[in-house]
Amino acid sequence: MASGDELVTSSNPEHPANLIPSLCAKFWTLGWVTGTGGGCSICEDDLVYIAPSGVQKELMKPSDIYVLSLAAQDASLKNRVYLRSPPCYKPSQCTPLFLAAFTLRGAGCCIHTHSHWAVLVTLLLESTDSPKMFEINNIEQIKGFGRGFQKTGNLGYHDTLRIPVIENTPHEEDLTEFLEEAMRQNPDTYAVLVRRHGVYVWGDNVHKAKTQCESLDYLFQLAVEMKRLNLPWISEVTPVGPQR
Ligand SMILES: CSCCC(=O)C(=O)COP(=O)(O)O
Ligand SMILES: [Zn+2]
């Protein structure tokens, strides 16, 4: 075994080095990580598990996974020290964006998709009065989102879900400062859309990141279809029944 291989060797399917390849294989079937785009990273205790760059994400193996220690990084997280590096690869270009979710939000998992629905929503927003914020309310699936950072419970049916949009940059890593700024401006958001590119979604753990990403993709698809039917994303609906 080469140095660090023990960090990605486990018979437990829930081990991050096994989970990242199996999640990416599922995400590929949804069109989230096609053509090497998109990906997923997991942070467990101090260890961050990262996919290689430019590989077919649905075909990855546990032995392809990078591992770094958050505590061992310098304060800027720019000079990254890997505990395990597979030969022949570079780490994902999304690494600094995933690290932002782990360090600024204490997330346990961050997913980046190139979903058509996410891209279409950012294109539709371009020609609106509010191109930098996706907003939707009065849709049941909104309940699939947490209320926000360090808050308990989920959003309610009548709450408005708001997802900020940042502009794309020629290089994925250059998105980091804009993603971090969007997090600061929108402390309760669990996702940031990237115009003409996709979306970053995170959660306290893998289950929450995955279900929030699924809920969001459902809402993006619904929003695109609503726009086609000239239906508004924000509506005034009088609450019915007891308000809890
Ligand atoms: C055709 S994918 C372009 C890069 C990108 O947007 C992405 O999400 C994947 O980056 P990685 O370095 O993880 O391959
Ligand atoms: Zn991308």
Side-chain angles (χ1 to χ4, degrees), residues 107-130:
C109 176
C110 185
I111 300 167
H112 170 44
T113 89
H114 284 196
S115 160
H116 282 182
W117 305 116
V119 176
L120 280 168
V121 160
T122 68
L123 289 167
L124 289 172
L125 281 168
E126 269 182 341
S127 54
T128 69
D129 294 340
S130 176

Side-chain angles (χ1 to χ4, degrees), residues 37-38 94 112-114 172 197 200:
C94 312
H112 170 44
T113 89
H114 284 196
E172 190 106 19
H197 180 157
Y200 280 83

Side-chain angles (χ1 to χ4, degrees), residues 75-117:
S76 71
L77 295 170
K78 289 227 164 76
N79 298 315
R80 290 188 280 276
V81 185
Y82 289 90
L83 301 178
R84 193 210 179 241
S85 296
C88 315
Y89 291 125
K90 283 184 186 166
S92 169
Q93 292 173 41
C94 312
T95 300
L97 294 113
F98 292 144
L99 290 178
F102 302 147
T103 56
L104 300 183
R105 288 293 173 270
C109 176
C110 185
I111 300 167
H112 170 44
T113 89
H114 284 196
S115 160
H116 282 182
W117 305 116

Side-chain angles (χ1 to χ4, degrees), residues 51-76:
S53 181
V55 301
Q56 297 178 74
K57 301 292 187 331
E58 75 282 12
L59 301 182
M60 275 186 300
K61 303 182 296 297
S63 57
D64 296 333
I65 301 296
Y66 286 80
V67 185
L68 62 75
S69 150
L70 275 184
Q73 310 308 304
D74 72 0
S76 71

